[in-house]
Amino acid sequence: MLMRKWIVLLLFFPFFLGHAQVMERVYITTDRPYYAAGETIYCSAFCLDAKATPSPVSAVAYLELYSAEGVAATAKVGLAEGRGAGALQIPADLATGNYKLAAYTALERNLEGCDPGLGARVISVYNTRQSAKAEGNIEWADALPSPSAAQTTGPVAIVSQDGGWVLRADEAVSVSLSVFRDEGLPCYDPQDASAFLRALREKYPFRPDHTPEYDGEILRARVTDAAGQAMPALAGTDIYLGCPGNDADIYAASLGEDGSATFYTANIFGNKEMAITLKEKPADWQIQFESPFISLQAGDMPKMVLAPSMESALTRLGFAAQVTGAFEADTLYQVLPFRQLSFTGNDRVRYRLDDFTRLQTMREIFTEYLRELRARRTDDDRTEIQVRCETRFNQIPVFQDKPSLMLLDGVPVPDHQTLLDYDPLLVKYIDVYPYEYAFGITRYAGVANFVTYRGDMPSARLGSNVKIIDFQGVSYPVAIGAASFPQGYPRVRQTLLWDPLVSLSPGAEKPVEIPLPDNPGTYRIQAEGFTADGQPVFQQVSVRIP
């Protein structure tokens, strides 16, 4: 895996260095134009190159919700062939006001003078439970100005058919599709897609400061002592990154002289706990990850207009947000398929311990059941667990002199005695991968993963060489539809339908399946995106749902 990433980077970088006009920018659409504080903004990302076609380079985009005061919230969105989807959580205490939502990639940051905030989307946030207002961003009025109709464009149409609605395309298009309640609140036209496309054709000097993230997010960290000083004695030490419960999120690096470490991931999805493990056991150490975000700051920001006539609409908006927040988050949306790679693959031998007579110690299980594993004492009096594995030259599995990689719920465990002392009654199964694997800069003779019932390393005695941190991963791509409203759930939420990844061929149609809400009113059906040759698409119709 690591070798493949370096080959890709070596192939791409000479191209980047020799072409000043290389370009990649991210266009963002959202499920609606305004939100209550504490709600979730659902996003669809279009990463386009200079020809306004989907860029195949970057695998992750970075989103920032920001104002003149700074960044209010961030998110990461996974990309595949220029398209992606995700979500950004608005802080519950965010002040009422207008904010901007912009996105960019690591490659885009190499374009000197290119402003990622150019063409950012304006998002209106209303805090219905606090009185805080964004300083200098509020304008009071006796009445709201008359709304202007959004300009539609592109070879798609939203038409009434057989008592429902369909999205019809005359050309190949890729769009996001949403249905949301129109509360009559002021909102701003979507960012000018034509201006966005013109910016794609601009030429900027290329400065290779940021490695293109072709496979996924590249994590950069630095290990220091408690005082923040480098620890030269640890130079060359292996450092592992793992997320409990997922053997796909395992990565390795080697510490540099200054304590730096770089992990080339295939995108780690979801906000989760991450275990950082050093192969050595220093007396005291800490690790800091470099932020991938720019920390944008808004210049010109349209002011939010507030008027007494908005009271009932804001009451409904706040009520819908509170009802949505009262239910478990995973009942409100469907997770779409996303790319997840495992460095081990699926060629494994699984020992489900419930299929055997339960024994009291892990050493007994090794002796009685596990033909592919053995535990032994090394010459320097360490405990070592080995995997009997095949090699390129020998198809007969044998124990080798190379080390084997041991995992507990997907987290690397360099101290194998920890696993021998672990309570086997907590372990559901043991997966053995009896082949050689290149992991970071080290080759391992086989891998074994001890998977518990809970999946979070319960009762594990982690040594001083392990740190547990909270990690902001790439947002899961999600959709909202009829299945997002389980039986008994009050259908008062503002967004009834959100499909961020709609692709239609010429002449194709997609039914717009709108779940009937409990609160009748006016709703908007909105499609936004691009044609296959990079022309903007925006269509919107208003419908009355009784």
Side-chain angles (χ1 to χ4, degrees):
M1 179 68 75
L2 182 62
M3 180 64 71
R4 174 170 155 256
K5 292 172 183 173
W6 276 111
I7 290 173
V8 169
L9 295 179
L10 290 172
L11 288 174
F12 268 94
F13 245 80
F15 173 81
F16 294 147
L17 291 171
H19 291 72
Q21 65 266 45
V22 74
M23 172 60 77
E24 183 180 80
R25 292 186 70 104
V26 182
Y27 186 90
I28 291 293
T29 65
T30 60
D31 60 314
R32 49 194 164 102
Y34 45 74
Y35 301 83
E39 285 194 294
T40 299
I41 300 175
Y42 295 101
C43 309
S44 180
F46 301 78
C47 185
L48 305 182
D49 60 20
K51 296 180 180 179
T53 56
S55 171
V57 179
S58 293
V60 60
Y62 301 97
L63 276 65
E64 297 188 22
L65 182 70
Y66 62 101
S67 67
E69 302 300 315
V71 176
T74 60
K76 304 171 186 176
V77 172
L79 300 172
E81 299 299 323
R83 290 288 278 121
L88 182 146
Q89 185 69 38
I90 303 173
D93 59 353
L94 190 62
T96 295
N98 285 333
Y99 296 82
K100 287 187 176 181
L101 181 65
Y104 50 87
T105 65
L107 173 59
E108 185 179 342
R109 295 182 65 179
N110 290 317
L111 303 175
E112 188 173 0
C114 180
D115 179 13
L118 182 65
R121 206 175 194 89
V122 176
I123 300 293
S124 298
V125 177
Y126 300 91
N127 195 319
T128 59
R129 290 186 282 185
Q130 297 181 10
S131 59
K133 307 291 189 298
E135 186 175 352
N137 186 241
I138 303 299
E139 180 179 313
W140 296 93
D142 294 331
L144 293 176
S146 300
S148 58
Q151 184 176 1
T152 61
T153 184
V156 300
I158 302 171
V159 297
S160 176
Q161 179 175 292
D162 299 329
W165 295 86
V166 297
L167 174 65
R168 182 177 299 157
D170 296 330
E171 300 178 17
V173 298
S174 179
V175 299
S176 63
L177 177 65
S178 63
V179 178
F180 60 93
R181 184 178 174 88
D182 185 359
E183 294 289 4
L185 297 172
C187 59
Y188 299 86
D189 291 342
Q191 64 191 71
D192 188 349
S194 298
F196 172 85
L197 293 173
R198 286 195 298 272
L200 281 174
R201 293 188 287 271
E202 295 290 333
K203 296 182 179 180
Y204 298 93
F206 187 85
R207 188 177 55 196
D209 294 338
H210 302 274
T211 305
E213 294 175 315
Y214 182 82
D215 264 347
E217 184 181 5
I218 300 175
L219 303 180
R220 295 176 175 85
R222 185 167 181 260
V223 171
T224 64
D225 61 19
Q229 300 300 313
M231 306 170 72
L234 293 179
T237 299
D238 287 346
I239 181 170
Y240 308 98
L241 178 159
C243 296
N246 190 349
D247 64 358
D249 295 333
I250 310 171
Y251 302 97
S254 181
L255 294 182
E257 290 285 345
D258 60 350
S260 61
T262 303
F263 301 92
Y264 295 87
T265 79
N267 279 339
I268 298 173
F269 283 86
N271 298 334
K272 57 185 63 177
E273 287 188 334
M274 177 184 289
I276 311 297
T277 306
L278 280 175
K279 195 170 185 179
E280 304 297 332
K281 291 186 177 182
D284 196 5
W285 65 286
Q286 61 181 355
I287 185 167
Q288 295 290 334
F289 279 87
E290 179 183 316
S291 172
F293 298 101
I294 297 177
S295 296
L296 298 171
Q297 202 163 17
D300 295 335
M301 177 77 77
K303 289 189 175 182
M304 172 179 281
V305 178
L306 296 178
S309 59
M310 298 168 62
E311 181 178 359
S312 59
L314 293 179
T315 299
R316 290 191 297 270
L317 183 67
F319 175 72
Q322 292 184 54
V323 171
T324 301
F327 284 76
E328 291 292 333
D330 58 1
T331 65
L332 305 182
Y333 57 77
Q334 303 130 342
V335 177
L336 300 173
F338 59 93
R339 185 181 69 166
Q340 195 168 26
L341 303 176
S342 173
F343 82 98
T344 54
N346 295 317
D347 197 356
R348 67 192 175 199
V349 179
R350 170 165 290 182
Y351 290 89
R352 194 177 304 273
L353 298 191
D354 284 343
D355 294 341
F356 302 90
T357 301
R358 281 288 188 173
L359 301 178
Q360 297 302 308
T361 68
M362 194 64 74
R363 191 176 291 274
E364 291 176 315
I365 290 177
F366 273 53
T367 303
E368 297 294 333
Y369 305 140
L370 307 180
R371 293 178 300 173
E372 286 81 13
L373 297 181
R374 76 174 180 183
R376 66 169 190 168
R377 302 297 292 182
T378 63
D379 293 339
D380 54 356
D381 204 32
R382 291 184 300 105
T383 298
E384 182 180 57
I385 299 176
Q386 292 183 310
V387 176
R388 189 198 307 267
C389 67
E390 297 179 5
T391 68
R392 289 179 298 172
F393 308 105
N394 189 352
Q395 300 301 311
I396 301 175
V398 295
F399 292 111
Q400 302 181 41
D401 291 334
K402 297 177 184 177
S404 298
L405 180 63
M406 296 295 114
L407 310 174
L408 177 60
D409 283 330
V411 174
V413 181
D415 184 358
H416 295 181
Q417 186 64 45
T418 301
L419 292 173
L420 283 182
D421 294 339
Y422 199 66
D423 185 353
L425 297 180
L426 300 176
V427 178
K428 184 177 182 180
Y429 50 82
I430 300 172
D431 285 337
V432 181
Y433 301 87
Y435 304 98
E436 287 190 349
Y437 292 94
F439 187 50
I441 62 173
T442 306
R443 293 190 68 86
Y444 288 95
V447 179
N449 187 20
F450 295 70
V451 181
T452 68
Y453 287 95
R454 285 173 38 180
D456 58 359
M457 304 185 297
S459 302
R461 296 180 179 178
L462 303 176
S464 61
N465 60 327
V466 180
K467 300 288 185 184
I468 305 295
I469 65 171
D470 292 325
F471 178 73
Q472 180 187 14
V474 175
S475 174
Y476 289 107
V478 295
I480 299 172
S484 303
F485 298 87
Q487 187 174 5
Y489 177 85
R491 300 186 178 191
V492 297
R493 66 179 300 161
Q494 293 285 307
T495 300
L496 295 181
L497 174 69
W498 170 246
D499 192 339
L501 302 172
V502 177
S503 294
L504 294 178
S505 56
E509 294 182 347
K510 177 179 176 61
V512 182
E513 299 175 349
I514 306 175
L516 292 178
D518 293 336
N519 49 344
T522 300
Y523 289 78
R524 294 190 202 175
I525 306 175
Q526 182 170 298
E528 187 175 1
F530 295 90
T531 64
D533 59 356
Q535 298 305 308
V537 173
F538 182 83
Q539 291 292 332
Q540 184 184 88
V541 299
S542 293
V543 298
R544 178 74 185 179
I545 300 180

